[in-house]
Amino acid sequence: MSKFAAEVDSRRTFAIISHPDAGKTTITEKLLLFGNAIQVAGTVKGKKGTRMATSDWMAMEQQRGISITTSVMQFPYNGRTVNLLDTPGHEDFSEDTYRVLTAVDSALMVIDGAKGVEDRTIKLMEVCRLRDTPIFTFVNKMDREVRDQIEVMDEIEDILKIQCAPITWPIGMGKAFKGIYNLYTDTIHVFEPGKGLTIPDDVRVEGLESDEAKTLLGDLYDDFVEEIELVRGASHEFDLDAYQQGLMTPVFFGTALSNFGVREMLNDFVEWAPKPLSRNTETREVDPHEEGLSGFIFKIQANMDPKHRDRIAFMRICSGRYTRGMKMKHVRIGKDVKIADAVTFLAGDRSNVEEAVSGDIIGLHNHGTIQIGDTFTEGEDLKFSGIPHFAPELFRRVRLADPLKMKQLQKGLQQLCEEGATQLFMPTKNNDLIVGAVGVLQFDVVAQRLKDEYKVECIYEPVNVFTARWIDCDDDRKLEEFKRKAGDNLSVDGGGHLTYLASTRVNLAMMEERWPDISFRSTREH
Ligand code: G4P
């Protein structure tokens, strides 16, 4: 194998999916600890505390206790290079999360052992299923009084429709939690409470039959041996192919807070999780081992760091190698651009990337020319497919508190909407600015950021819009006629696309019937 192929194959690019509060932030922090990206836990997580979060960028996230932005964390582990893409947990940011999941090769599902499968997990799994994303499962909070774990496993199988193959199994729970037992290596990993801030020692007992195991488990021993028999009988044996096809999930138990069980999961994760996969474009499949660089933008983030007032476009590299200073073709606008200063984000630090290969994520400085869904190559005209924009469901007109700041408002809205969480619509008949969002919290985020980053105060007003549809038509004459007749409801979105803003469901249905040659699309491929 060439050096390049080996480098590509060492990549493990994934995201964590979970219901809020299941422990995603806590486990992220522990993964960074194992990857030596941080030295002491607590430097990442700062929700209620004073320490600044590494993966939480903005003060707002801390105030609200949710993760709004997506960041990318790279760290080496056991000879692999792990790329962890953080996903916003709040449901108002589902579209953002959706696009992050198009940029990964696998996902880690974190489940609260006391709560089992929750709403948000169900939705995220639906998204993963669209691409048969392989899923690792970590059942968290074993240091608490949790539910019967066989029941939780059944719930995962029934509700999420994926076979479970437990790799480790918890010994006791809550105050009586003693550790985990690896069903495949016949090893007990012994739990020592209160070691969550650093990497704990790996205390092992080999063999469930051993005297040491009997001493360790004490009164629990007989019941546990019986439980393991039951678990082996009632669950599936791990099958790597079935996992990689998204049909089966290996299940691990532990407590992220005490940093226990995470290492065992991570060790198997870097072995089993898929290396960078091929990706589809509109014309052909792109193999990650191809030498020519290609990649797509799945996320744009403005002003991540107030000290650097710029926007970053996150690109998933799908083939080839990025080297500093290289030329790339920005396919949509047909221009070559020289990229001297791509960045990665490691624990809040920005460092210039010298090199990156398929599977890696790099951040490109965006001065307004890059949009979500854009493809970059070393010359070939490719366009990666499958990165949709969804029609927003909520709309507000934006008015200025100080009318003299119109320019700043327009610029701010345009830039914030480029990030993809909200969308901007500018009616063709008047000067209104209408913001569309999938969830109501996004309006607050936009207002707050306009204030903080663009120094404009805005006021929202209700607007009579039920939904937006992107307009497409092959027949230019028909399109012109439509534009004349439907002008009052037409607008241009932030990407310059014509959209129809329907006032009611009935209005939309009527227009669709009246204009059979016009397509009213509820999603727009970037
Ligand atoms: P999220 O990102 O998925 O929303 O969850 P997060 O990691 O923030 O964890 C949610 C809460 O659950 C936190 O408590 C966290 O400390 C706790 N937690 C995470 N893992 C474990 C675990 O293994 N055992 C126990 N007992 N608790 C766990 P919090 O009170 O909301 O926040 P904080 O006061 O700890 O910051």
Side-chain angles (χ1 to χ4, degrees):
M1 204 188 326
S2 73
K3 188 169 161 271
F4 170 64
E7 261 180 86
V8 170
D9 289 353
S10 76
R11 263 54 186 180
R12 298 290 180 270
T13 303
F14 78 112
I16 301 181
I17 58 174
S18 70
H19 192 83
D21 267 354
K24 189 181 59 143
T25 314
T26 313
I27 201 165
T28 298
E29 174 180 273
K30 303 304 143 91
L31 294 172
L32 293 179
L33 209 52
F34 284 114
N36 271 324
I38 55 171
Q39 264 59 53
V40 182
T43 44
V44 175
K45 190 157 171 356
K47 256 204 254 176
K48 292 177 196 155
T50 48
R51 270 173 288 201
M52 182 58 196
T54 303
S55 62
D56 291 3
W57 294 98
M58 289 179 292
M60 252 191 74
E61 288 186 274
Q62 297 191 325
Q63 283 164 20
R64 290 176 188 256
I66 54 166
S67 187
I68 294 171
T69 55
T70 300
S71 41
V72 180
M73 290 155 270
Q74 187 181 65
F75 58 88
Y77 189 78
N78 281 3
R80 307 271 194 260
T81 299
V82 180
N83 293 306
L84 169 54
L85 277 60
D86 190 20
T87 52
H90 194 282
E91 102 175 278
D92 282 358
F93 298 90
S94 52
E95 199 186 336
D96 240 15
T97 305
Y98 183 96
R99 284 194 290 253
V100 170
L101 292 174
T102 64
V104 299
D105 300 305
S106 72
L108 166 64
M109 171 165 76
V110 178
I111 292 210
D112 182 329
K115 296 196 174 138
V117 175
E118 298 175 87
D119 302 355
R120 187 84 186 112
T121 318
I122 300 174
K123 283 202 197 134
L124 289 163
M125 269 297 283
E126 278 166 13
V127 174
C128 288
R129 182 142 294 120
L130 294 174
R131 303 176 66 245
D132 296 324
T133 306
I135 308 285
F136 251 61
T137 300
F138 186 81
V139 184
N140 193 22
K141 307 197 183 179
M142 286 300 129
D143 58 322
R144 285 198 182 159
E145 294 302 320
V146 290
R147 282 168 50 189
D148 172 35
Q149 294 312 303
I150 294 183
E151 208 181 283
V152 170
M153 226 173 46
D154 284 349
E155 200 171 279
I156 297 174
E157 296 212 332
D158 290 348
I159 300 178
L160 302 179
K161 305 269 179 289
I162 188 162
Q163 293 180 352
C164 287
I167 307 297
T168 61
W169 195 260
I171 306 171
M173 64 162 111
K175 289 208 171 64
F177 182 53
K178 295 226 179 304
I180 50 173
Y181 172 64
N182 188 309
L183 294 148
Y184 291 79
T185 59
D186 188 23
T187 308
I188 294 170
H189 299 269
V190 183
F191 176 57
E192 294 181 307
K195 297 271 171 81
L197 293 183
T198 49
I199 297 179
D201 295 335
D202 184 9
V203 184
R204 298 171 177 217
V205 170
E206 300 298 338
L208 187 55
E209 305 265 295
S210 69
D211 290 341
E212 234 185 312
K214 285 177 189 155
T215 316
L216 176 75
L217 269 67
D219 292 348
L220 292 175
Y221 186 78
D222 291 337
D223 284 350
F224 186 73
V225 171
E226 217 171 278
E227 189 178 339
I228 288 297
E229 299 258 299
L230 190 73
V231 170
R232 283 194 203 275
S235 64
H236 298 268
E237 191 158 342
F238 180 65
D239 173 345
L240 189 60
D241 283 341
Y243 155 67
Q244 292 195 338
Q245 289 165 29
L247 301 171
M248 174 184 281
T249 177
V251 182
F252 298 78
F253 294 85
T255 144
L257 192 61
S258 302
N259 199 6
F260 182 78
V262 178
R263 169 173 26 213
E264 289 65 32
M265 189 272 304
L266 182 59
N267 286 344
D268 285 341
F269 176 81
V270 293
E271 291 302 319
W272 299 341
K275 47 199 186 200
L277 303 171
S278 299
R279 303 259 152 185
N280 278 323
T281 66
E282 285 173 359
T283 40
R284 66 180 188 87
E285 198 174 79
V286 171
D287 186 283
H289 299 113
E290 287 176 26
E291 286 190 359
L293 175 95
S294 71
F296 66 88
I297 304 296
F298 62 94
K299 165 98 193 162
I300 292 177
Q301 172 79 55
N303 306 332
M304 292 180 72
D305 177 348
K307 284 188 298 238
H308 307 242
R309 285 191 56 86
D310 57 3
R311 286 163 289 157
I312 297 291
F314 289 88
M315 177 166 108
R316 151 89 195 207
I317 301 181
C318 300
S319 67
R321 182 193 294 278
Y322 159 80
T323 47
R324 196 165 174 187
M326 79 185 288
K327 266 208 186 118
M328 289 186 206
K329 180 169 182 179
H330 185 335
V331 176
R332 182 173 50 81
I333 60 174
K335 269 199 187 141
D336 282 343
V337 282
K338 194 169 166 192
I339 308 287
D341 52 356
V343 284
T344 86
F345 306 92
L346 195 65
D349 287 337
R350 291 178 171 209
S351 44
N352 282 336
V353 190
E354 297 297 327
E355 279 194 347
V357 299
S358 313
D360 289 338
I361 312 295
I362 57 175
L364 307 181
H365 291 271
N366 180 17
H367 308 288
T369 52
I370 307 179
Q371 293 175 6
I372 290 171
D374 280 347
T375 298
F376 284 81
T377 66
E378 253 177 273
E380 193 180 346
D381 280 332
L382 290 174
K383 167 107 183 60
F384 286 96
S385 47
I387 311 142
H389 230 350
F390 300 91
E393 287 158 16
L394 299 163
F395 297 84
R396 301 268 194 281
R397 183 184 294 115
V398 186
R399 206 162 55 75
L400 272 174
D402 172 1
L404 292 176
K405 294 203 164 172
M406 195 60 189
K407 272 233 171 76
Q408 281 101 311
L409 176 70
Q410 262 171 343
K411 183 171 162 214
L413 281 176
Q414 192 98 32
Q415 294 190 352
L416 293 174
C417 291
E418 244 172 42
E419 293 177 23
T422 48
Q423 293 170 41
L424 177 63
F425 299 95
M426 294 163 281
T428 50
K429 283 273 169 79
N430 58 41
N431 292 328
D432 280 356
L433 293 168
I434 295 174
V435 172
V438 183
V440 79
L441 182 62
Q442 287 163 341
F443 291 116
D444 295 355
V445 173
V446 167
Q448 184 74 37
R449 291 186 57 186
L450 281 172
K451 195 167 151 204
D452 289 351
E453 296 165 23
Y454 299 90
K455 310 291 174 235
V456 278
E457 298 245 11
C458 77
I459 299 160
Y460 290 115
E461 290 174 346
V463 58
N464 189 23
V465 178
F466 160 71
T467 191
R469 288 291 181 267
W470 284 282
I471 296 302
D472 249 344
C473 182
D474 292 335
D475 183 338
D476 286 346
R477 257 191 27 233
K478 277 264 152 53
L479 184 62
E480 284 310 314
E481 191 189 338
F482 176 73
K483 279 186 186 168
R484 275 199 310 276
K485 297 261 168 71
D488 287 348
N489 293 59
L490 289 180
S491 72
V492 175
D493 77 359
H497 300 264
L498 191 64
T499 46
Y500 182 80
L501 299 181
S503 54
T504 59
R505 191 187 300 274
V506 176
N507 169 272
L508 177 65
M510 198 181 72
M511 291 303 279
E512 283 176 322
E513 202 184 304
R514 196 174 291 169
W515 298 90
D517 300 314
I518 304 278
S519 44
F520 295 79
R521 296 185 193 283
S522 62
T523 58
R524 173 167 75 76
E525 276 243 348
H526 287 283

